[in-house]
């Protein structure tokens, strides 16, 4: 039976251990009760225990970590499975001669921390954790797969279900382990024992396909003077790269330096980014050198990059201090990133999604302004917004997630999704049905009959929105009219709005009257309409009480998720196939298994 840590003991554990385990003295706070730890809520790490759930950063600005964080999640397979995995890891650590710190969560999850005397690189730490993840089902590998956002709650931190992370050992022993961490010899023993598993996870990356569209190279290389392509920027920040393109860290770091030099950056610019922590991924590639040798190694690699550019451009000389725009395409500029937490080619995916938005604009005309048609349009827009957020045409968001984004009931969303995937020439196709806590996987598609027209159209500027909260009160036609005016570079007449939105003249007129009544749009003397930028959509939503309705919807779905996960946890060892309405889960109450969702914050995103 789990004990409950007192506030005083939790504060003592945090003050003693958090600074010694964190990769850098930064901590992220959760303002939503432990659901997420966004970068905007990051602050300096202090010995004082935060009043909300808090997670320390795993990796430092140099792309290395001082401890391995093993997070065993009880929601994956239940508490019993976590206990079995932790015991197996403890036996393995004991065989390797390692020392560790252990704590547990109020919900049965466990954390194992392995302090290290010498910091290890992001790549090495990720390889080891992923290798362990192939052996232990409940181990969450994601914290070590993200250099920029990887973070974990340490002993003493508050938990989203109440209580704190409580040590499974005395604080004195845990502090001694943190102060006398494992030597490099022990780290070598751990990696040697997992050599086969590490080789397997590396081979898996090589087997993963990496597709580079023909037009991607030109777009990625076309960076402004002093700016690198997005792919190279991501590589420098995250340290993740396509293993089929670059076989070693050395090749990947050289590609970044060539891209930086081609963009007109100087060696000083690169050094400044490394020291300020803007490029921790690139810094991690130099972590294997001693501190006094890293600068010399960087200078040697920079000289190689300049020689490569000089040779590729046919120039006789390239001044190190000169700022020049790239005049020819470099193969490294087109390089993408392939990793578990980063899309293989985010630029190409975003271009496809924007072309898909053109197809949506063409296809929306068939739905017109019927109640069913408006709902269908909002669901498709929610899929498009989710695709932009994940930088992938593949969307794995459940009906409850889309329900929050569109203001509908999840059962209504399920009907719309069923109709969308049944269309032979539709804009989304079902790739894989959901199972357990996984939602259905959809892929955005562009019908062949409008593909050419969609590709010829100019991309629409701005974000794609599902239904922003205020328009739950003002209506979907008002949302479509407002969005059209918002994206238009000039004021529009009513007849232009009818043509652009696909709504009837009556619907457009009523929508304009509603928007004008709340000072969201105004009409000029020339009978043209434009938005009033000073009126805040968010403030209006608060005035209408819409945000409270969204919060109630989120709470209801959160409760559904808890019930569903508990049901799964109890049957994790006996249920092989999930699930059918003949099982004993109360389907009639919840109308389907609650899905995971990550779109809920869209309801509270900036909308003014």
């Amino acid at each position: 039976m789990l004990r409950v840590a007192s506030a005083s003991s939790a504060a003592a554990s945090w003050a003693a251990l958090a600074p010694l385990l964190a990769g850098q003295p930064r901590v992220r706070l959760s303002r939503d009760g432990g659901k997420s730890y966004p970068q905007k809520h990051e602050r300096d790490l202090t010995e004082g225990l935060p009043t909300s759930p808090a997670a320390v950063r795993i990796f430092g600005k140099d792309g290395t970590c001082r401890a391995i964080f093993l997070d065993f999640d009880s929601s994956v397979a239940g508490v019993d499975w976590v206990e079995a995995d932790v015991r197996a890891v403890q036996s393995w650590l004991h065989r390797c001669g390692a020392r560790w710190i252990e704590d547990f969560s109020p919900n049965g999850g466990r954390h194992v921390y392995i302090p290290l005397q010498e910091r290890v690189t992001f790549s090495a730490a990720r390889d080891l954790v992923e290798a362990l993840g192939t052996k232990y089902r409940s181990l969450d590998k994601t914290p070590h797969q993200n250099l920029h956002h990887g973070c974990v709650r340490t002993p003493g931190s508050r938990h989203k279900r109440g209580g704190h992370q409580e040590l499974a050992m005395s604080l004195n022993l845990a502090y001694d382990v943190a102060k006398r961490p494992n030597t490099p010899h022990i780290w070598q023993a751990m990696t040697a024992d997992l050599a086969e598993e590490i080789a397997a996870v590396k081979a898996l990356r090589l087997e993963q396909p990496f597709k580079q569209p023909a037009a991607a190279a030109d777009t990625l290389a076309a960076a402004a003077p002093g700016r690198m392509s997005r792919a190279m920027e991501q590589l420098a920040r995250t340290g993740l790269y396509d293993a089929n393109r670059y076989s070693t860290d050395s090749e990947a770091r050289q590609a970044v330096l060539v891209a930086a030099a081609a963009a007109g950056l100087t060696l000083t610019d690169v050094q400044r980014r490394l020291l300020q922590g803007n490029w921790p991924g690139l810094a991690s590639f130099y972590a294997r050198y001693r501190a006094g040798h890293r600068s010399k190694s960087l200078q040697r690699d920079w000289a190689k990059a300049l020689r490569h550019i000089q040779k590729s451009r046919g120039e006789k000389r390239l001044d190190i201090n000169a700022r020049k725009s790239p005049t020819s395409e470099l193969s490294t500029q087109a390089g993408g990133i392939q990793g578990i937490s980063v899309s293989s080619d985010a630029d190409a995916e975003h271009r496809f999604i924007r072309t898909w938005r053109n197809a949506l604009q063409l296809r929306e005309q068939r739905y017109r302004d019927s109640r069913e048609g408006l709902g269908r349009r909002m669901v498709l827009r929610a899929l498009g917004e989710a695709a932009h957020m994940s930088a992938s045409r593949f969307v794995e968001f459940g009906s409850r997630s889309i329900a929050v984004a569109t203001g509908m009931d999840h059962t209504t969303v399920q009907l719309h999704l069923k109709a969308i995937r049944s269309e032979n020439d539709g804009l989304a196709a079902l790739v894989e049905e959901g199972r357990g806590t996984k939602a259905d996987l959809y892929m955005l598609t562009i019908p062949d009959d409008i593909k050419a027209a969609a590709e010829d159209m100019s991309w629409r500027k701005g974000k794609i929105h599902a239904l922003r909260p205020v328009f739950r009160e003002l209506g979907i036609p008002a949302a479509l009219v407002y969005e059209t005016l918002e994206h238009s570079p000039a004021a529009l007449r009513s007849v232009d709005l009818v043509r652009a939105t696909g709504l009837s003249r009556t619907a457009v007129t009523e929508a304009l009257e509603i928007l004008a009544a709340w000072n969201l749009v105004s009409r000029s003397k020339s009978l043209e309409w434009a938005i009033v930028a000073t009126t805040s959509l968010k403030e209006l939503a608060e005035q209408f009480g819409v945000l409270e309705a969204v919060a109630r919807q989120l709470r209801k779905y959160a409760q559904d998720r808890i019930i569903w996960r508990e049901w799964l946890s109890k049957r994790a060892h006996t249920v092989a196939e999930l699930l059918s309405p003949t099982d004993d889960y109360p389907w009639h109450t919840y109308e389907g298994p609650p899905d995971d969702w990550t779109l809920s914050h869209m309801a509270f995103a900036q909308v003014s």
Side-chain angles (χ1 to χ4, degrees):
M1 183 165 179
L2 299 179
R3 295 173 288 123
V4 179
S6 65
S8 58
S9 63
S13 298
W14 175 272
L17 300 176
L20 297 177
L21 295 173
Q24 59 175 297
R26 301 286 291 174
V27 62
R28 292 188 178 182
L29 306 180
S30 176
R31 302 300 189 188
D32 55 6
K35 297 178 181 178
S36 62
Y37 298 84
Q39 186 176 5
K40 64 181 179 180
H41 294 151
E42 184 175 303
R43 64 170 177 78
D44 289 337
L45 174 63
T46 63
E47 293 184 355
L49 177 63
T51 57
S52 57
V56 302
R57 290 280 300 274
I58 294 178
F59 296 98
K61 293 182 178 180
D62 60 350
T64 64
C65 62
R66 65 192 305 180
I68 300 297
F69 293 71
L70 302 182
D71 181 3
F72 296 90
D73 190 353
S74 61
S75 65
V76 174
V79 177
D80 292 341
W81 206 301
V82 168
E83 294 289 344
D85 285 349
V86 170
R87 284 196 296 270
V89 168
Q90 289 173 341
S91 298
W92 171 71
L93 290 172
H94 181 72
R95 291 197 308 271
C96 295
R99 308 172 76 218
W100 66 91
I101 300 171
E102 183 184 344
D103 69 4
F104 54 82
S105 306
N107 66 346
R110 304 288 283 267
H111 291 170
V112 174
Y113 314 90
I114 311 172
L116 302 172
Q117 191 177 86
E118 291 187 2
R119 300 174 72 101
V120 297
T121 65
F122 165 67
S123 299
R126 181 183 59 164
D127 287 345
L128 183 132
V129 174
E130 288 183 356
L132 288 173
T134 63
K135 303 177 66 175
Y136 307 112
R137 177 180 176 185
S138 63
L139 177 60
D140 183 5
K141 304 179 292 294
T142 55
H144 273 277
Q145 291 172 334
N146 197 315
L147 174 60
H148 204 60
H149 299 289
C151 56
V152 170
R153 286 176 288 105
T154 53
S157 175
R158 297 181 184 274
H159 192 268
K160 60 183 178 181
R161 291 196 180 181
H164 302 264
Q165 290 293 127
E166 185 176 357
L167 283 170
M169 58 207 319
S170 69
L171 178 56
N172 289 337
L173 178 57
Y175 185 75
D176 180 70
V177 173
K179 292 294 289 185
R180 295 193 297 127
N182 296 285
T183 63
H185 175 73
I186 294 176
W187 170 257
Q188 293 171 5
M190 293 164 57
T191 54
D193 191 70
L194 292 174
E196 293 183 1
E197 289 81 1
I198 291 175
V201 297
K202 289 183 176 180
L204 179 61
R205 295 189 201 124
L206 289 172
E207 293 173 2
Q208 293 174 343
F210 179 79
K211 297 181 180 179
Q212 178 69 48
D218 295 335
T219 305
L220 288 173
R227 291 288 303 277
M228 294 163 55
S229 67
R230 178 177 296 181
M232 289 294 106
E233 285 275 2
Q234 286 182 323
L235 203 165
R237 289 197 306 268
T238 66
L240 296 175
Y241 55 86
D242 176 19
N244 293 289
R245 186 178 182 87
Y246 309 116
S247 58
T248 63
D249 289 356
S250 299
E251 292 184 13
R253 80 185 184 209
Q254 193 65 37
V256 173
L257 294 180
V258 171
L265 299 181
T266 66
L267 178 58
T268 302
D269 295 328
V270 175
Q271 290 173 326
R272 183 170 62 249
R273 285 165 170 77
L274 292 177
L275 294 174
Q276 292 177 347
N278 296 326
W279 285 358
L282 180 61
S284 70
F285 297 150
Y286 287 97
R288 67 186 184 92
Y289 298 103
R290 294 184 180 275
H293 296 166
R294 293 174 188 173
S295 178
K296 293 181 180 179
S297 178
L298 174 61
Q299 293 175 13
R300 288 195 301 268
D301 291 343
W302 184 255
K304 292 179 183 178
L306 295 179
R307 287 195 296 270
H308 174 82
I309 295 174
Q310 182 178 7
K311 181 179 179 180
S312 64
R313 294 179 178 175
E315 297 177 354
K316 296 182 179 179
R317 179 175 178 273
L318 184 64
D319 189 352
I320 294 180
N321 295 320
R323 288 187 175 271
K324 297 184 179 181
S325 301
T327 57
S328 63
E329 178 184 331
L330 298 175
S331 61
T332 54
Q333 287 288 85
I337 301 171
Q338 181 163 331
I340 296 178
S341 59
V342 179
S343 174
S344 60
D345 188 356
D347 277 352
E349 289 298 287
H350 279 301
R351 288 195 297 274
F352 174 86
I353 297 166
R354 290 193 175 276
T355 304
W356 178 87
R357 288 172 58 180
N358 291 342
L360 173 62
Q361 185 178 352
L362 295 172
R363 187 65 88 207
E364 276 184 329
Q365 303 298 326
R366 69 161 57 173
Y367 297 123
R368 301 299 297 174
D369 54 359
S370 65
R371 183 181 182 87
E372 182 184 58
L374 291 176
R376 196 75 46 80
R377 293 172 72 171
M378 286 298 110
V379 170
L380 286 168
R381 285 162 178 265
L383 292 176
E385 184 168 10
H388 266 311
M389 291 169 59
S390 59
S392 172
R393 72 189 71 183
F394 294 93
V395 179
E396 190 179 355
F397 296 97
S399 57
R400 284 168 175 77
S401 173
I402 298 175
V404 174
T406 58
M408 306 178 190
D409 184 77
H410 70 278
T411 56
T412 305
V413 170
Q414 290 169 357
L415 294 176
H416 286 306
L417 289 173
K418 183 177 180 181
I420 290 171
R421 67 191 185 215
S422 66
E423 297 176 355
N424 294 328
D425 58 347
L427 293 165
L430 179 64
V431 177
E432 183 179 350
E433 292 186 355
R435 187 169 296 277
T437 59
K438 296 293 185 181
D440 291 340
L441 178 64
Y442 287 89
M443 179 181 70
L444 303 187
T445 57
I446 302 178
D448 293 336
D449 59 329
I450 59 174
K451 184 175 182 179
E455 291 176 346
D456 291 339
M457 293 173 59
S458 300
W459 287 337
R460 196 169 187 179
K461 295 182 179 180
K463 299 179 180 179
I464 181 174
H465 296 285
L467 190 70
R468 287 176 280 191
V470 67
F471 293 110
R472 290 192 179 198
E473 184 72 19
L474 301 182
I476 294 178
L480 296 174
V481 170
Y482 186 89
E483 182 185 84
T484 302
L485 291 172
E486 187 179 32
H487 291 162
S488 175
L492 297 175
R493 297 175 300 167
S494 297
V495 64
D496 299 324
L497 290 170
V498 171
R499 187 185 309 110
T501 61
L503 301 174
S504 66
R505 181 180 295 274
T506 301
V508 169
T509 301
E510 292 178 353
L512 288 171
E513 290 177 353
I514 293 173
L515 293 171
W518 293 102
N519 197 34
L520 289 170
V521 299
S522 61
R523 193 177 190 182
S524 65
K525 294 182 179 179
S526 58
L527 304 182
E528 293 181 334
W529 294 90
I531 65 170
V532 179
T534 56
T535 304
S536 170
L537 296 182
K538 186 174 183 179
E539 291 180 0
L540 271 182
E542 293 176 347
Q543 182 177 341
F544 293 151
V546 176
L547 298 185
E548 296 177 2
V550 176
R552 287 195 298 270
Q553 188 178 20
L554 290 174
R555 286 195 296 269
K556 178 183 180 300
Y557 292 160
Q559 185 63 32
D560 289 354
R561 286 181 73 191
I562 293 173
I563 295 174
W564 174 244
R565 286 183 180 276
E566 290 178 350
W567 189 92
L568 285 178
S569 177
K570 294 176 181 178
R571 292 156 177 80
H573 303 289
T574 58
V575 181
E577 295 294 331
L578 299 171
L579 281 170
S580 68
T582 59
D583 291 300
D584 61 342
Y585 182 78
W587 299 88
H588 62 281
T589 304
Y590 300 103
E591 302 183 26
D595 45 74
D596 281 345
W597 64 89
T598 56
L599 276 174
S600 58
H601 70 279
M602 288 166 50
F604 299 98
Q606 290 187 2
V607 292
S608 58

